[in-house]
Amino acid sequence: MVGKPASAATTATDAARRVIELLTDANRTMVTAESCTGGMLAAALTDIPGASEAFFGGYVTYANEAKSRMIHVQARLIRDYGAVSNQVARAMADGARNTAHCDYAVAVTGIAGPDGGSEKKPVGLVYIAVSTELATVVIEHTFGDLGRAEIRKASVAAALELVIEVLTSTND
């Protein structure tokens, strides 16, 4: 049967529901650390009834100083690699998980545009990291110049999908 393609909102809602189910079933907690998504990931998770069973909360660390002060990202990492980097995404996820004392953390940092991009780091470049006690996974995405709102939505959807991948691989 061919149906109408799911909207990004429906997909994100379904993915957020799955994340909450997986965390709740495993009796685990998760925290978010967001930069370019500005709390949209936490909002997607808290839209799900019963999220309080597994979702601890979120840090919106939009400014570089907020990353350092709130979740202990070393200023040296930001200076040496830039706020939008594999290294900072990893440090955000690890810092949020350790600060909140949660089982999992997901972090998002990127360039949503319309300004701020460069040849080396174009608009649409986003790093997503998931931290667990055993490892931290970081994925680089290049969404292109879809426009600010669409890059942020795509980042939330990609973050939720990565969390699902990590949760299903660690719960097998």
Side-chain angles (χ1 to χ4, degrees):
M1 182 170 121
V2 176
K4 188 170 94 174
S7 71
T10 302
T11 303
T13 299
D14 292 343
R17 184 174 292 110
R18 181 74 175 132
V19 166
I20 295 302
E21 287 172 2
L22 289 166
L23 289 166
T24 302
D25 290 349
N27 196 29
R28 299 286 185 245
T29 58
M30 189 177 73
V31 63
T32 59
E34 300 180 67
S35 188
C36 65
T37 50
M40 290 173 63
L41 180 55
L45 291 164
T46 58
D47 276 347
I48 306 305
S52 61
E53 295 297 317
F55 181 63
F56 177 80
Y59 299 98
V60 177
T61 57
Y62 200 70
N64 290 343
E65 188 175 343
K67 291 171 183 62
S68 297
R69 287 176 42 188
M70 294 171 70
I71 54 175
H72 312 289
V73 174
Q74 295 176 7
R76 174 190 60 77
L77 288 177
I78 297 169
R79 183 183 62 246
D80 291 352
Y81 300 102
V84 179
S85 64
N86 177 305
Q87 295 83 351
V88 169
R90 178 179 306 276
M92 287 172 65
D94 291 342
R97 187 177 59 78
N98 291 326
T99 300
H101 305 286
C102 286
D103 300 298
Y104 299 93
V106 57
V108 182
T109 184
I111 304 168
D115 301 318
S118 67
E119 190 173 318
K120 286 188 177 183
K121 294 186 180 184
V123 168
L125 176 64
V126 177
Y127 290 90
I128 299 169
V130 175
S131 175
T132 74
E133 184 179 16
L134 300 175
T136 303
V137 177
V138 183
I139 304 294
E140 176 184 305
H141 293 272
T142 307
F143 294 116
D145 194 1
L146 303 173
R148 183 175 182 82
E150 292 305 312
I151 290 168
R152 294 174 77 211
K153 287 178 195 172
S155 298
V156 169
L160 291 167
E161 290 301 324
L162 181 58
V163 171
I164 291 168
E165 281 182 43
V166 169
L167 292 174
T168 55
S169 70
T170 59
N171 290 336
D172 289 341

